[in-house]
């Protein structure tokens, strides 16, 4: 136990107020001196002075012990990995400032999706480049692999401008392109089996997405091969998730997020295949996986509504994705009453979403007007383009 205690002090000392450690060290020296003095010249007064010094030092060590417990809880893996999404703002403060990224491997990997929600892809990529260049980590093999994996995943979003444009052939197939970087088995260097599996799931999820975004820019007769490859990778992701949950049922709610992604991607791939070859089987699969996606997103939305924080970027995004799933499921519902119920729910959520968007747009426009009037920016011909 003593060995573990001092090991924890070494690991977390840089995150503990130095005055606490200093008090503990000098307290121990005070006790040692007091007992030596008492032994050389024993008296009851000297003995009780020793006890007083001992109790004072015990109090300091109690504060140190509580600090270590708090830090260990902070840096250990959360029981519910959705915490890494909900508390991304707090974790990201450390990720952007730490000089030891090894302590934040799990928040970085598990919270990655929250960074894409909040459009931090460029900022986070630059931070990872800096950490890799200056080697700000202890576990060279594992942490470096996680950092490289996350950087590769983020590149899909940056090169497609948050999935709004297709991947060019150079960005996808070129030397050091997305296909190459996301095909590296980073997870092989991760000693924690659960963390390694999640890294593989997330890596393949982004690799599949890259194939889809590459196919977007191709003629119809060239889309089939990358789309079928993407479909294969989606199924591999689902298999990995199923195997992982058999051993880690506590990851069920976190897995809903990635199950909804992979199954919606399968649905969308079959939709694209149907638009190309008009095969009835693809239309059936599109309908089938749209229903599965809706079910997963409904479960995740209801879980957030009942158990999670309701005012976070993650919860807002989960609500938006559930609304999208509702809208996509609507076309396949036969019951008139169910169609009416879905239509009402979608419209209600969309109107709330639109009001928040309009409020942000209004503030943006007023700020832009003020900046123009102050000659701080120039508005180009394209109203959306500004020059500082």
């Amino acid at each position: 136990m003593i060995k573990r205690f001092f090991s924890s002090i070494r690991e977390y000392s840089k995150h503990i107020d130095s005055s606490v450690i200093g008090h503990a060290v000098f307290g121990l020296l005070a006790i040692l001196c007091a007992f030596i003095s008492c032994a050389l010249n024993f008296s009851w007064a000297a003995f009780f002075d020793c006890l007083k010094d001992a109790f004072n030092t015990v109090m300091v060590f109690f504060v140190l012990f509580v600090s270590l417990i708090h830090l260990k809880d902070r840096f250990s893996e959360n029981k519910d990995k959705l915490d890494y999404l909900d508390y991304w703002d707090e974790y990201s403060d450390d990720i952007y400032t730490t000089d030891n990224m090894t302590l934040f491997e799990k928040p970085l990997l598990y919270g990655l999706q929250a960074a894409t929600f909040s459009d931090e892809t460029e900022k986070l990529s630059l931070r990872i480049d800096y950490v890799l260049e200056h080697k700000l980590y202890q576990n060279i093999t594992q942490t470096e692999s996680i950092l490289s994996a996350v950087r590769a995943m983020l590149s899909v979003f940056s090169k497609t401008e948050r999935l709004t444009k297709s991947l060019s052939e150079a960005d996808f197939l070129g030397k050091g392109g997305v296909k190459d970087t996301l095909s590296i088995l980073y997870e092989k260097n991760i000693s924690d089996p659960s963390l390694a599996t999640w890294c593989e799931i997330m890596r393949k999820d982004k690799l599949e997405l890259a194939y889809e975004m590459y196919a977007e820019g191709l003629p119809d007769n060239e889309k089939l091969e990358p789309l079928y490859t993407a479909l294969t990778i989606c199924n591999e992701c689902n298999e990995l998730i199923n195997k992982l949950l058999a051993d880690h049922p506590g990851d069920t709610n976190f897995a809903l997020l990635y199950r909804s992604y992979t199954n919606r991607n399968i649905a969308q791939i079959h939709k694209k295949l149907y638009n190309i070859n008009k095969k009835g089987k693809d239309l059936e699969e599109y309908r089938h996986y749209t229903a599965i996606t809706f079910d997963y997103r409904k479960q995740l939305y209801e879980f957030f509504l009942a158990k999670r924080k309701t005012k976070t970027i993650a919860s807002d995004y989960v609500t938006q994705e559930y609304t999208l799933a509702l809208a996509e499921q609507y076309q396949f519902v036969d019951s008139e009453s169910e169609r009416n119920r879905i239509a009402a729910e979608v419209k209600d959520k969309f109107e709330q979403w639109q009001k928040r968007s309009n409020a942000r747009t209004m503030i943006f426009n007023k700020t832009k007007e003020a900046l123009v009037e102050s000659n701080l920016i120039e508005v180009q011909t394209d109203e959306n383009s500004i020059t500082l």
Side-chain angles (χ1 to χ4, degrees):
M1 182 176 178
I2 293 174
K3 185 177 180 181
R4 286 201 305 271
F5 178 73
F6 282 105
S7 175
S8 296
I9 291 179
R10 285 195 301 272
E11 185 175 1
Y12 302 123
S13 60
K14 66 179 67 179
H15 299 281
I16 301 174
D17 191 333
S18 58
S19 65
V20 174
I21 298 176
H23 274 85
V25 171
F26 283 109
L28 281 175
L29 293 174
I31 290 176
L32 180 61
C33 291
F35 274 103
I36 292 173
S37 175
C38 182
L40 293 174
N41 188 20
F42 179 79
S43 70
W44 285 110
F47 176 72
F48 282 110
D49 278 341
C50 288
L51 288 181
K52 182 182 72 173
D53 289 337
F55 282 127
N56 285 336
T57 303
V58 166
M59 287 300 297
V60 174
F61 266 95
F62 179 76
V63 173
L64 181 60
F65 184 70
V66 170
S67 298
L68 287 171
I69 292 175
H70 171 72
L71 287 167
K72 201 160 188 178
D73 286 342
R74 180 183 172 198
F75 293 131
S76 61
E77 184 170 328
N78 293 359
K79 291 181 180 178
D80 187 344
K81 291 182 175 63
L82 288 172
D83 284 349
Y84 293 112
L85 299 177
D86 267 348
Y87 297 98
W88 170 253
D89 286 344
E90 297 173 27
Y91 285 118
S92 65
D93 287 342
D94 292 313
I95 287 169
Y96 288 122
T97 58
T98 186
D99 60 356
N100 181 14
M101 192 65 83
T102 297
L103 293 171
F104 299 98
E105 292 172 345
K106 290 171 182 176
L108 176 63
L109 187 65
Y110 295 137
L112 176 61
Q113 205 63 40
T116 65
F117 295 162
S118 53
D119 195 21
E120 291 182 45
T121 51
E122 292 294 338
K123 180 182 177 183
L124 189 56
S125 293
L126 289 172
R127 174 58 180 166
I128 290 173
D129 287 342
Y130 181 86
V131 171
L132 285 168
E133 180 184 353
H134 294 84
K135 299 195 179 300
L136 303 181
Y137 39 82
Q138 286 178 331
N139 189 332
I140 294 176
T141 303
Q142 176 167 300
T143 308
E144 199 166 285
S145 294
I146 290 173
L147 287 166
S148 299
V150 170
R151 182 173 59 181
M153 294 177 208
L154 290 171
S155 69
V156 179
F157 295 92
S158 60
K159 292 183 184 298
T160 60
E161 296 180 8
R162 295 191 75 195
L163 310 183
T164 59
K165 70 172 191 178
S166 61
L167 264 176
S168 68
E169 184 173 341
D171 284 339
F172 183 66
L173 295 174
K175 184 178 180 181
V178 173
K179 180 185 175 184
D180 283 347
T181 58
L182 282 172
S183 297
I184 297 172
L185 307 182
Y186 303 102
E187 57 275 6
K188 296 295 183 183
N189 294 321
I190 300 176
S191 57
D192 181 332
S194 174
L195 187 64
T197 303
W198 273 115
C199 182
E200 184 178 4
I201 291 167
M202 295 168 71
R203 175 183 65 79
K204 287 187 172 181
D205 173 66
K206 302 305 180 289
L207 177 60
E208 175 280 322
L209 194 57
Y211 270 97
E212 279 194 74
M213 298 309 295
Y214 170 59
E216 285 290 312
L218 299 175
D220 281 356
N221 63 326
E222 297 179 21
K223 289 180 188 287
L224 294 179
E225 184 177 348
L227 286 177
Y228 280 123
T229 301
L231 196 58
T232 299
I233 299 171
C234 280
N235 289 321
E236 289 174 359
C237 285
N238 279 336
E239 289 176 10
L240 283 168
I241 292 173
N242 290 337
K243 288 178 181 177
L244 182 138
L245 290 180
D247 296 324
H248 302 276
D251 286 355
T252 298
N253 293 314
F254 186 71
L256 284 172
L257 184 69
Y258 287 92
R259 280 181 152 174
S260 68
Y261 289 152
T262 56
N263 284 284
R264 182 177 186 272
N265 290 340
I266 291 174
Q268 292 299 307
I269 291 168
H270 281 293
K271 180 182 180 181
K272 293 169 185 175
L273 290 172
Y274 175 75
N275 289 337
I276 296 171
N277 55 33
K278 302 302 180 185
K279 291 182 179 178
K281 182 180 178 182
D282 285 314
L283 187 60
E284 291 174 11
E285 294 291 278
Y286 169 46
R287 177 173 184 160
H288 174 67
Y289 282 98
T290 297
I292 292 175
T293 303
F294 171 72
D295 182 55
Y296 284 139
R297 287 191 166 166
K298 184 172 185 288
Q299 289 180 53
L300 187 60
Y301 168 73
E302 290 177 345
F303 177 73
F304 262 81
L305 206 62
K307 303 290 185 182
R308 304 296 305 176
K309 293 167 65 178
T310 56
K311 299 295 181 182
T312 66
I313 291 175
S315 65
D316 189 42
Y317 208 80
V318 165
T319 300
Q320 291 175 19
E321 290 188 330
Y322 169 63
T323 305
L324 172 61
L326 271 173
E328 290 177 337
Q329 177 67 6
Y330 176 82
Q331 62 183 307
F332 298 121
V333 174
D334 297 324
S335 167
E336 188 66 27
S337 60
E338 182 65 8
R339 286 171 67 86
N340 290 338
R341 187 198 66 76
I342 290 176
E345 187 175 357
V346 169
K347 288 178 182 178
D348 178 63
K349 284 183 168 52
F350 183 77
E351 285 172 3
Q352 294 176 31
W353 185 1
Q354 191 170 45
K355 285 178 183 177
R356 289 196 296 273
S357 177
N358 290 342
R360 286 193 292 267
T361 301
M362 179 188 69
I363 294 171
F364 173 81
N365 287 335
K366 287 184 178 296
T367 303
K368 185 171 74 172
E369 289 172 10
L371 290 171
V372 170
E373 289 174 3
S374 303
N375 294 319
L376 292 173
I377 63 171
E378 295 178 6
V379 181
Q380 305 299 312
T381 305
D382 177 359
E383 290 186 1
N384 292 320
S385 176
I386 59 175
T387 301
L388 297 179

